[in-house]
Amino acid sequence: MHGRAFSPDCFKVASGSTISVDNKDFVAHTFTVKGSNIDLHLLGGQAGSASAPPVGTYDFVCTLHLGMRGTIVVTR
């Protein structure tokens, strides 16, 4: 997260792998993966992680800044 955007905004990851998220902005953001239980709330400068969901394609968003969005492709 930087400049009120996700970078990358599309990536592949294996199911069960660790997804690391680093908020490089000074404002809070969320990393919320639709259709999963991933909902990280990160203050400015904070990092977090979550386990990748089951195989599939998922949209992720920042619920605080609606223009921040992306896609995860989860593989085996």
Side-chain angles (χ1 to χ4, degrees):
M1 303 168 176
H2 183 68
R4 294 194 180 190
F6 289 106
S7 180
D9 63 359
C10 184
F11 62 94
K12 286 185 181 181
V13 64
S15 180
S17 295
T18 300
I19 300 171
S20 298
V21 183
D22 189 11
N23 182 357
K24 295 182 180 180
D25 282 338
F26 293 104
V27 298
H29 293 297
T30 71
F31 178 70
T32 305
V33 180
K34 295 182 177 184
S36 80
N37 63 351
I38 299 172
D39 188 24
L40 301 176
H41 293 255
L42 303 172
L43 298 175
Q46 195 174 37
S49 64
S51 293
V55 172
T57 301
Y58 299 84
D59 293 324
F60 61 90
V61 298
C62 171
T63 59
L64 303 174
H65 304 101
L66 300 179
M68 291 179 65
R69 60 186 66 228
T71 304
I72 304 172
V73 178
V74 182
T75 62
R76 293 181 187 210

